[in-house]
Amino acid sequence: MFTTLTFASILPEILILAIGLLVLVFEPFWKGEQRRNAGWLTAGGLFVSMIICLLAGRPGEPEMTLGGMIRFDWLGFFLKMLFMFAAAATALLLMDHDRAGKRGEAYLLLLASLIGMNLMASSADLVMLYLSIETASIPLYVLSGFLLDDERSTEAGFKYFLYGTLASTIMLYGFSLLFGFSGTTDLYGIAGALASGKIPPLIGFGIVSLVVVGLGFKVSIVPFHFWAPDVYEGAPTPVAGFLSTASKAAGFAVILRLFFVVFPGFDQIWTMTFAVLSAVSMTVGNLLALPQTNIKRLLAYSSISHAGYALIGVVGFSQFGAASVVFYLAAYIATNLLAFGIVMAYSRITGIEDIREYAGLSRRNPLLGLMMLAAFLSLAGMPPFGGFIAKILVFAAGVQANYIWLVVVGIINSIIGLYYYLNVLKFVYLYRLPNEDEDRHPVPLTQPYMIALVVLVLGVILIGTIFAPFFNWSDAGAFNLF
């Protein structure tokens, strides 16, 4: 029966679908530059949808809806708001992309992927979970290879599709075994079956391994990261930003719900597995970022290391650990989208992605230089930005869980990361153009870029300074997990 509660539990998805229909209806009537209006419609519609959901679609006590397929709780709701915010910012950044910004299908694919991510955050059933992962992934495969006349883009889309389907298949084997041994697809029912000892430890280890492979690909942790640098470099920059933030956060949402709810009895196995993967991801990601000269590849390896930092909170396996991960995702989404937005704004004018060509940026556009300073210092974990508090929280969760060695590895890696982030800022602030004539080479920002980047930089600063409300929302979501 379709009740008010059922309607509220899928209100964000209904509103996103309505925005997509509006884009389909209006886009054919727009000509030339008017086609950019699809971006305004998408971004504006998502912001309005967020307000409607916050006013009329907030959850109370956790409830199962749609026959147990969806769990309506604060964890899913808060993450949905984050994904919608990321998609709105991406739509704004996409508007001024030369070859994708005037094509309505790009916004439709973005919205389709967003529906899948939202369902990933609230799925309480294996079937719904798998379908939502595929719903989120397939549009992103297409968006990565969206520029058909660009060899790098088509290669990126093809690689992402091949590796993505392989990882998805392996994960499906794990899901099949879970269903086979427990006799149910309900996540909370599976948890009960596992607690009763229906699955031997060796089989349990095998299932956990298969699921880790699939989800490890989604969040691009080592050794399942090899696709990320090539895909980020070849995909349209706003798409790469969305891939590195919302898509990764959706993967972590699944990790939290799946491992905290379904596999608490195997926590000794998966916490140690994730601890090792976290240490390796942080180290490999940071060390490979050091020699990069292409800024998108540097951000790709940076995102791999950040997945390792976030995993420390998962290893904590506690309410505080889960809250630290959700908070980390909020700070990371704002920060990394800001970084990719700046790269997009700069390369739109210069056509350059080489770090050395960022010389003199602070004089060519002082505001853009300051935004880059905020983004990269936040990625490095420096106060007073969101990345600082986020790292403090996941490190505290690691200490609380007695993974001191992992926190030490995280701190050492933070220092390594600081080096290459500062190296980029060195070109921005200390180096100049060959003729020192920056005034003759300005980097203007269009209105959509200005709105998106200002909102994102305010988010990075607010999360780092007035962090209590964000942590309280994260903690409320983590509380609903148990």
Side-chain angles (χ1 to χ4, degrees):
M1 185 177 177
F2 203 81
T3 63
T4 307
L5 182 69
T6 305
F7 180 77
S9 68
I10 55 171
L11 180 60
E13 291 77 32
I14 293 172
L15 294 172
I16 295 167
L17 186 62
I19 297 168
L21 291 174
L22 287 175
V23 173
L24 270 177
V25 169
F26 287 108
E27 199 268 343
F29 296 101
W30 289 324
K31 306 296 179 189
E33 285 298 313
Q34 287 181 329
R35 289 181 180 275
R36 292 170 70 248
N37 290 340
W40 287 121
L41 180 56
T42 304
L46 287 172
F47 277 120
V48 171
S49 300
M50 289 172 67
I51 293 170
I52 293 173
C53 292
L54 287 168
L55 292 175
R58 287 178 297 175
E61 290 296 317
E63 296 276 359
M64 293 293 191
T65 64
L66 291 176
M69 303 290 272
I70 295 292
R71 183 176 165 92
F72 187 34
D73 60 16
W74 272 104
L75 178 66
F77 181 77
F78 183 54
L79 288 168
K80 286 179 182 183
M81 293 301 104
L82 286 179
F83 301 155
M84 292 168 75
F85 172 78
T90 302
L92 289 174
L93 296 174
L94 198 56
M95 284 177 64
D96 286 314
H97 192 281
D98 289 341
R99 288 174 287 175
K102 298 172 189 170
R103 295 174 62 180
E105 57 267 39
Y107 302 98
L108 290 172
L109 289 166
L110 181 71
L111 291 170
S113 179
L114 178 61
I115 290 176
M117 290 177 191
N118 276 5
L119 293 174
M120 284 170 70
S122 57
S123 292
D125 185 276
L126 279 182
V127 176
M128 173 61 85
L129 182 58
Y130 185 74
L131 291 177
S132 61
I133 290 172
E134 291 305 300
T135 305
S137 300
I138 293 171
L140 290 177
Y141 300 149
V142 181
L143 278 173
S144 298
F146 199 69
L147 309 178
L148 294 178
D149 56 347
D150 185 330
E151 287 185 3
R152 291 190 308 169
S153 179
T154 51
E155 181 187 341
F158 197 59
K159 274 187 180 175
Y160 191 33
F161 169 72
L162 282 180
Y163 293 133
T165 48
L166 175 65
S168 183
T169 304
I170 293 171
M171 182 172 63
L172 188 58
Y173 291 144
F175 285 0
S176 302
L177 287 171
L178 269 180
F179 171 68
F181 279 99
S182 65
T184 177
T185 56
D186 176 71
L187 295 186
Y188 293 82
I190 294 171
L194 293 182
S196 65
K198 283 187 176 179
I199 299 181
L202 188 60
I203 299 293
F205 176 75
I207 293 173
V208 167
S209 301
L210 292 171
V211 175
V212 166
V213 170
L215 294 177
F217 173 86
K218 297 297 176 192
V219 299
S220 64
I221 53 175
V222 177
F224 316 110
H225 68 290
F226 37 82
W227 60 275
D230 291 342
V231 173
Y232 287 13
E233 185 182 6
T237 307
V239 175
F242 191 64
L243 265 176
S244 74
T245 53
S247 178
K248 189 184 291 279
F252 271 103
V254 176
I255 286 175
L256 283 178
R257 199 178 290 280
L258 203 56
F259 284 89
F260 279 48
V261 171
V262 176
F263 297 118
F266 295 92
D267 62 312
Q268 296 293 327
I269 297 172
W270 64 259
T271 53
M272 182 52 72
T273 303
F274 277 136
V276 173
L277 292 176
S278 167
V280 176
S281 297
M282 287 187 287
T283 306
V284 172
N286 280 316
L287 291 180
L288 291 180
L290 285 173
Q292 300 303 320
T293 56
N294 181 292
I295 196 158
K296 286 172 71 176
R297 292 187 74 87
L298 180 142
L299 288 173
Y301 285 110
S302 159
S303 82
I304 293 165
S305 68
H306 279 278
Y309 296 127
L311 272 182
I312 298 176
V314 177
V315 170
F317 188 41
S318 62
Q319 181 182 333
F320 178 64
S324 71
V325 175
V326 177
F327 186 94
Y328 197 97
L329 297 177
Y332 179 72
I333 283 175
T335 303
N336 220 40
L337 269 179
L338 177 61
F340 271 100
I342 294 165
V343 170
M344 178 68 203
Y346 187 73
S347 64
R348 190 181 74 87
I349 300 298
T350 62
I352 291 170
E353 293 173 354
D354 193 301
I355 293 169
R356 291 163 296 193
E357 300 299 331
Y358 277 69
L361 172 60
S362 63
R363 291 175 174 82
R364 298 174 71 179
N365 188 325
L367 179 60
L368 199 60
L370 280 174
M371 289 176 176
M372 196 156 188
L373 181 73
F376 276 61
L377 289 185
S378 183
L379 284 172
M382 298 288 285
F385 304 107
F388 171 70
I389 300 296
K391 275 188 181 170
I392 291 290
L393 290 175
V394 293
F395 288 164
V399 171
Q400 194 179 64
N402 208 27
Y403 276 91
I404 308 296
W405 66 269
L406 184 58
V407 175
V408 171
V409 172
I411 292 171
I412 293 171
N413 273 286
S414 294
I415 297 169
I416 297 172
L418 182 62
Y419 172 79
Y420 62 76
Y421 292 127
L422 289 179
N423 188 48
V424 176
L425 294 175
K426 176 185 72 177
F427 286 99
V428 172
Y429 277 94
L430 301 183
Y431 286 29
R432 303 194 62 173
L433 290 177
N435 297 323
E436 299 188 356
D437 56 348
E438 288 85 0
D439 292 340
R440 297 177 59 188
H441 299 86
V443 182
L445 292 176
T446 61
Q447 193 177 23
Y449 277 119
M450 183 62 81
I451 294 171
L453 295 181
V454 168
V455 169
L456 289 168
V457 79
L458 286 176
V460 170
I461 295 170
L462 284 175
I463 293 173
T465 51
I466 312 172
F467 57 85
F470 296 98
F471 181 74
N472 289 338
W473 293 328
S474 306
D475 194 49
F479 178 74
N480 281 175
L481 261 179
F482 299 94

